[in-house]
Amino acid sequence: MPEIFYWEAIRDALREEMLRDERVFVMGEDVAIYGGAYGATRGLYEEFGEERVKDTPISEAAIIGAAAGAAMCGLRPVAEIMYIDFITLGMDQLVNIVAKNRYMFGGKTTVPMVIRTQGGAGRGIAAHHSQSLETWFVHLPGVLIATPATPYDAKGLLKTAIRDDNPVLFIEHKMLYRTTGEVPEGDYALPLGQAKVTRPGSDVTVVSYSRMANRSLEAAEVVAAEGIDAEVIDLRSLRPLDIESVLESVKKTGHLVLVSEGYKNANALCEVAFRVNEFGFDYLDGPMLRVCAADVPVPMSPVLEEAAVPSVESIAGGIRQALAD
Amino acid sequence: MAPKILARNDKLRLLKQMLQIRAFEDKVFELLARDLLKGASHAYVGEEAIAVGACAAIGLEDYITSTHRGHGHCLARGADLKLMMAELCGKATGYCRGRGGSMHIADVKAGNLGATGIVGSNIPVATGAGLALQMKKKKSVCLCFFGDGAANTGAFHESLNLAGLWKLPVVYICENNLYGMSVSVERALAVKNVADRASAYNMPGKIVDGMKVLEVYEAVSEAVERARRGEGPTLLECKAYRFRGHSRGDSRKYRTREEEEHWRARDPIEQFKKHLLEEGALTEEEFSALEKEVGEETSAAERFALQESPDPSPDDLYDDVYVDYEQGNTRLRRKS
């Protein structure tokens, strides 16, 4: 199987879906001539022209709202919000229009659109360009949320997101664009709401998503050297949430560690913990534990930035702690 | 371009629609007072000429977006009074199955992309509708209704800039009723007229007498034709007046009774009626018959909503949050 970059996987998914369905188009800041701030739309403008690859003004509310209007009128827009930090500028459109119109209008319309955006720390670009804000949207009924960690998942999930009749918030990670992974040639789509066991294990379950799913795998190898056999689960999407896979694993291991790059307080994965409490309390042999970003605006200094988000070592520490007593 | 001339029947249809809106809003007010209707309700009384004149200028293939004061737009777009009243009463038979109520009526298949509770929030949506029409190479347009308050939101500026830039087939219709809830336009708008802002977005801007239905019709027709020719959007500012308060509990202490009388003397229905009488297109007898007909339709809508319509079932609470997914209390699953 060929190895490609994460950004290429996204670009390929967009390209193939645009070839497959003429209703699909891309719009956003710097997506056309520039090819996207992280290069994920490179080549699309040259192939499809400005009719279907549209550079927009810096107008997040108009980007998201116009995508919603176009979706309600029969197109399938893929709108890019350059950084998830900027989504605040289009928040009303996302929260009050995109997420609600179908339900509010009695189920008589659909809003089939994708908002592609990216989050995460790692580049030293500080508090307005490094956040992981997916938790805000996990709270919101009406949107689906994909958070791919690998090129394979990025391509397969983006295809599903574009084909889905629901609005999908597709959250990439800026530190993953230059990572590579095996991706089969040709068409495939992966379902939303299906977690993946990326490392089977028997002692403790580690649940994560996006870049932290990869770090959790690394941490699992660190503790493996100490005799701890961790099972790592990449949720891949936060809504729908595949709680069944988590429960199945916890039933086996009895311990649960949750790893997220989002702020610790009221993190999206607290919902996972609560559902395990509801449906799998008896499986637990010890308290559930979370390793999350510090509750501080993401600082610029590389030393502080790295301290503010989960590291391989802090995740490994969490795993050890979950098993201690 | 010479304005289109409406035939007598068309004019009488416009008059009837204006009467329908007035009667509908009066009925809503009455039902609120009797506590038979819950929730918010922002009356369109006094502004009937705008929705009716504007919607007369478009066809079935065109779209509109509405506002939190949206009953008039729906009715002018051809909505069924019964389904509207049922929606306001939160009934299963309403346009949105009782989920939307007064501020969220939509009928997308009939070209109404819906009303919104957030001031200004449908301006981007209308812009996107225009984008879809342009991309699909349709000759259709979208009429975007919004108030003077919305003209000060970021959504307005972002959207008009985009539409002006891309020459989208959207007609932006500002219903300037002089107050954003209680704050007068003089205290909220840095320029004298909303229409003055059109030049910033490279589109024509025009002030229209929003109390005169034929003036609205002519201005919107011209803007629609321009959009259909691919020449882009227009910003129309219809100066009008909200006869009632912002909502039912409004004591209107921010404006004088003299000012209200001044505007009530320019009642859009009375003006149009007078015009039609003078023109010989209408007799007093015909007007009375029309009023009676509208009254009966309104009563039938009330009966339908309150006596003939079931409440929605709580069993259906989770329906339609998502397409093709089933949602229970705690889990969301794709339907197999």
Side-chain angles (χ1 to χ4, degrees), chain A residues 23 25 27 51-52 54-75 89 92-93 96-97 99 101-111 140-144 160 164-167 192 239-241 243-244 247 271 275 278-279, chain B residues 63 87 93-97 99-101 104-109 113-116 118-137 154-155 158-159 161-162 165-166 316-325 327 329-334:
Chain A
R23 298 170 301 173
F25 72 102
M27 66 191 282
E51 179 81 355
R52 293 177 70 194
K54 293 179 178 298
D55 274 332
T56 64
I58 301 175
S59 302
E60 281 78 6
I63 294 168
I64 296 175
M72 288 171 71
C73 294
L75 298 182
L89 295 154
D92 172 54
Q93 293 297 312
N96 287 317
I97 300 284
N101 270 9
R102 174 175 173 75
Y103 185 83
M104 209 162 63
F105 296 163
K108 293 177 186 168
T109 189
T110 57
V111 191
L140 177 70
V143 291
L144 302 176
T160 300
D164 201 289
D165 283 334
N166 295 288
L192 294 162
R239 195 196 282 261
L241 180 66
I243 197 66
E244 284 81 3
L247 287 166
E271 183 62 30
R275 289 188 197 198
E278 280 175 315
F279 305 115
Chain B
Y63 288 108
E87 186 57 37
T93 51
Y95 269 109
C96 306
R97 300 168 62 197
R99 301 218 191 102
H104 303 297
I105 298 178
D107 189 1
V108 175
K109 285 196 178 71
L113 294 172
T116 174
I118 312 290
V119 169
S121 77
N122 257 348
I123 308 179
V125 176
T127 306
L131 175 61
L133 294 171
Q134 184 188 64
M135 289 182 70
K136 291 201 266 185
K137 303 198 170 13
E158 289 191 10
S159 300
N161 181 61
L162 197 69
L165 188 70
W166 289 352
D316 302 333
L317 181 67
Y318 287 98
D319 284 4
D320 299 321
V321 179
Y322 298 94
V323 192
D324 297 333
Y325 286 80
Q327 188 176 223
N329 259 326
T330 52
R331 301 190 198 194
L332 177 68
R333 274 199 198 90
R334 188 159 180 95

Side-chain angles (χ1 to χ4, degrees), chain A residues 226-238:
Chain A
E226 302 159 22
I228 298 174
D229 186 19
E231 177 148 301
V232 180
I233 294 179
D234 178 357
L235 291 171
R236 299 198 286 188
S237 66
L238 297 177

Side-chain angles (χ1 to χ4, degrees), chain A residues 30-49:
Chain A
D30 306 290
V31 297
I33 298 171
Y34 194 90
Y38 285 89
T41 54
R42 242 176 278 174
L44 298 179
Y45 172 75
E46 289 75 5
E47 182 170 356
F48 297 97

Side-chain angles (χ1 to χ4, degrees), chain A residues 76-99:
Chain A
R76 302 184 85 87
V78 182
E80 178 169 324
I81 297 298
M82 194 188 285
Y83 285 78
I84 200 169
D85 314 72
F86 306 168
I87 214 161
T88 51
L89 295 154
M91 204 64 164
D92 172 54
Q93 293 297 312
L94 175 50
V95 171
N96 287 317
I97 300 284
V98 172

